[in-house]
Amino acid sequence: MIKRLSILGCLAISLLGGSIALCAAEVMPPKLARYFNDAAAVVPREVGDQLNEQLAQYERDSSNQLVVAIYPKMQTDSSLEDYATRVFQSWGIGQKGRNNGAALFVFVQDRKMRIQTGYGLEASLTDAESFRIIEEMKPWLRRGDYAGGLSFAVKAMIQATQGEYQGTGKTRAEQSQQKNQSWFGLIIFGIVFVIFLIKFLIAVRRVQKGMVYQQNGRLTLPGESSWLDTIGTSMSSGSGSSWSGGGGFSSSSFSGGGGSTGGGGASGSW
């Protein structure tokens, strides 16, 4: 009995060690800051910025979240398909409830790529359509024209997924920014209201206790601090400035909505 327990204990330790080794061998990339991400520096900056804005505008129009992630190489011992699925889930690409996201992964040194599709786009960006896009990208990538191949892929993915959903005119990142600005506006309004309320109460107190004129003609109590006047003047002078964001970005940022994937899509190498 003791021998049997020892064997089971050794097996459990071995399995645990294997799981730890697998985790240690895999590096999950951080969440995306943009729609078009070129960590391998294979696409000219101006082309990458243009594609980034194109994908951001597509989310405004359709609510679909399409992203491109280019890396020098895979940092995992598992398959491309398993790795892409885990990365997609950790990024939460697509709107929550719609799962309308898709990601194009390109690993330059491994010469591998994959389109990973969220549940909500599987009917339009099918496995067959994803495979077609991957196959038609290969000639560009084989001759080193990453800008051409990725521009084609972005256009093809947009065309395949148009009409599935309606957008709100803003990306999820812009919606979050707008909510933050609304709260900031309420806080500023509250501060200004409190300042003027305190100044009003002080004015009432002056009337009740008698008033003293300063040389500039203003009314105050002897020895009373003027810190409220200073704050009030600063707030008044700053009231004319504009902090409204309007939803525009010079370089549109990406924020995942919580979408998930069932492993749909296609892979290929060149």
Side-chain angles (χ1 to χ4, degrees):
M1 183 66 180
I2 296 176
K3 184 177 180 180
R4 188 175 181 181
L5 288 175
S6 299
I7 293 172
L8 290 175
C10 291
L11 287 172
I13 293 172
S14 298
L15 290 172
L16 179 61
S19 299
I20 294 173
L22 179 61
C23 293
E26 181 168 279
V27 177
M28 298 293 286
K31 289 190 174 182
L32 302 178
R34 288 162 44 101
Y35 295 84
F36 189 89
N37 305 268
D38 183 13
V42 293
V43 175
R45 177 64 181 270
E46 60 273 14
V47 176
D49 289 344
Q50 181 182 359
L51 293 173
N52 187 73
E53 294 306 312
Q54 184 178 353
L55 291 168
Q57 186 59 46
Y58 184 56
E59 183 184 353
R60 296 184 189 107
D61 296 338
S62 67
S63 81
N64 295 334
Q65 292 189 334
L66 307 181
V67 301
V68 176
I70 311 167
Y71 296 105
K73 63 181 299 182
M74 292 175 55
Q75 298 190 65
T76 181
D77 292 333
S78 63
S79 68
L80 171 60
E81 291 75 18
D82 289 343
Y83 186 55
T85 298
R86 286 192 293 275
V87 174
F88 188 105
Q89 296 282 18
S90 69
W91 288 345
I93 303 171
Q95 300 292 336
K96 188 175 182 180
R98 289 185 171 183
N99 300 312
N100 55 337
L104 170 58
F105 296 94
V106 177
F107 300 97
V108 177
Q109 295 177 22
D110 300 314
R111 303 179 72 85
K112 293 180 179 180
M113 53 185 163
R114 175 167 177 78
I115 292 177
Q116 188 78 25
T117 308
Y119 284 115
L121 293 182
E122 288 182 347
S124 54
L125 189 58
T126 61
D127 293 356
E129 180 65 13
S130 298
F131 180 76
R132 182 191 69 82
I133 296 171
I134 290 290
E135 288 298 305
E136 294 190 19
M137 285 177 62
K138 290 181 179 181
W140 272 294
L141 272 55
R142 285 170 181 159
R143 59 177 178 262
D145 185 2
Y146 289 90
L150 291 164
S151 296
F152 161 78
V154 167
K155 181 179 179 180
M157 291 170 70
I158 288 176
Q159 288 178 342
T161 55
Q162 281 179 336
E164 288 292 306
Y165 301 95
Q166 291 296 320
T168 63
K170 294 182 182 296
T171 67
R172 185 175 184 275
E174 290 166 348
Q175 291 172 358
S176 297
Q177 185 192 51
Q178 188 176 44
K179 289 179 182 178
N180 292 337
Q181 287 179 342
S182 297
W183 279 108
F184 180 74
L186 288 173
I187 292 171
I188 292 297
F189 175 80
I191 292 173
V192 172
F193 176 78
V194 169
I195 288 173
F196 279 103
L197 178 62
I198 293 174
K199 289 173 71 70
F200 173 76
L201 294 175
I202 290 175
V204 172
R205 183 166 168 260
R206 288 172 180 168
V207 172
Q208 292 175 343
K209 291 189 174 183
M211 299 174 289
V212 177
Y213 281 92
Q214 294 180 339
Q215 291 181 356
N216 60 7
R218 298 191 69 176
L219 299 176
T220 184
L221 288 174
E224 186 177 30
S225 172
S226 60
W227 65 273
L228 283 171
D229 290 335
T230 302
I231 294 177
T233 302
S234 300
M235 295 300 299
S236 298
S237 62
S239 62
S241 62
S242 174
W243 51 269
S244 176
F249 286 74
S250 57
S251 180
S252 298
S253 57
F254 172 78
S255 176
S260 58
T261 177
S267 305
S269 57
W270 71 93

